[in-house]
């Protein structure tokens, strides 16, 4: 029953994520749509929720479930909330500052405990993602309304 409920919750979260990805403005001609990665991730989560629901329906009712692990459900919901805040913070602070804050936080959630690794992620993640999306893929970087480090760096 718990796996079925988790699948339904993940499906609902995925639907909200798909809707949020559709809110990303369309790309100008010749550019890559900036919402393609969040949309693909949301669709993948929806497919994953489908597998959870199918797996839950196939389980025998008398089968031992073991100890419940509510931590995983809370982590999924927490990551989704972080993703929503991260996406919204692009509008206020551009790309670099939110990525520098969120990268070590998410790595910590995924059990990366190395202080050196977490400190390096503050610089390396925004740099690598900037190169992948804004240099190689040619996606226009979002500039922040309140403060934008990229705009400040470029002068």
């Amino acid at each position: 029953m718990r796996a079925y409920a988790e699948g339904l919750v993940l499906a609902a979260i995925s639907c909200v994520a798909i809707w949020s990805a559709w809110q990303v403005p369309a790309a100008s001609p010749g550019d890559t749509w900036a919402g393609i990665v969040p949309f693909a991730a949301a669709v993948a989560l929806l497919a994953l929720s489908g597998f959870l629901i199918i797996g839950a329906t196939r389980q025998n009712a008398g089968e031992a479930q073991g100890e419940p692990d509510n931590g995983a459900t809370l982590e999924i919901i927490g990551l989704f909330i972080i993703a929503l805040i991260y996406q919204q913070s692009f509008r206020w602070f551009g790309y670099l500052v939110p990525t520098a804050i969120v990268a070590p936080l998410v790595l910590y959630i995924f059990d990366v405990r190395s202080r050196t690794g977490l400190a390096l992620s503050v610089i390396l993640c925004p740099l690598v993602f900037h190169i992948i999306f804004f240099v190689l893929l040619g996606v226009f970087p979002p500039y922040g309304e309140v403060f934008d480090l990229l705009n400040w760096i470029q002068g």
Side-chain angles (χ1 to χ4, degrees):
M1 183 66 174
R2 181 176 173 273
Y4 186 74
E6 285 178 353
L8 290 175
V9 168
L10 187 57
I13 290 172
S14 300
C15 290
V16 171
I18 289 171
W19 176 82
S20 297
W22 278 114
Q23 302 308 309
V24 175
S28 53
D31 287 337
T32 305
W33 179 49
I36 194 162
V37 173
F39 180 76
V43 169
L45 280 177
L46 187 61
L48 193 66
S49 70
F51 289 130
L52 281 173
I53 292 170
I54 290 170
T57 57
R58 290 184 179 173
Q59 286 179 347
N60 293 335
E63 204 173 279
Q65 296 293 323
E67 291 185 26
D69 182 20
N70 293 332
T73 305
L74 293 176
E75 284 181 358
I76 291 171
I77 293 171
L79 283 171
F80 178 70
I81 291 169
I82 289 171
L84 287 178
I85 293 170
Y86 176 61
Q87 180 184 2
Q88 180 59 37
S89 66
F90 280 8
R91 171 189 241 174
W92 300 319
F93 303 108
Y95 174 76
L96 294 177
V97 173
T99 303
I101 293 170
V102 169
L105 179 64
V106 171
L107 287 172
Y108 188 82
I109 289 172
F110 283 106
D111 289 331
V112 174
R113 299 292 192 250
S114 165
R115 290 183 182 180
T116 305
L118 293 173
L120 285 174
S121 72
V122 171
I123 295 170
L124 290 179
C125 287
L127 177 66
V128 169
F129 295 149
H130 180 83
I131 290 171
I132 291 171
F133 289 106
F134 307 130
V135 175
L136 297 176
L137 291 175
V139 177
F140 185 74
Y143 292 105
E145 295 173 359
V146 176
F147 173 75
D148 188 357
L149 186 60
L150 185 61
N151 195 17
W152 183 76
I153 290 171
Q154 292 175 344

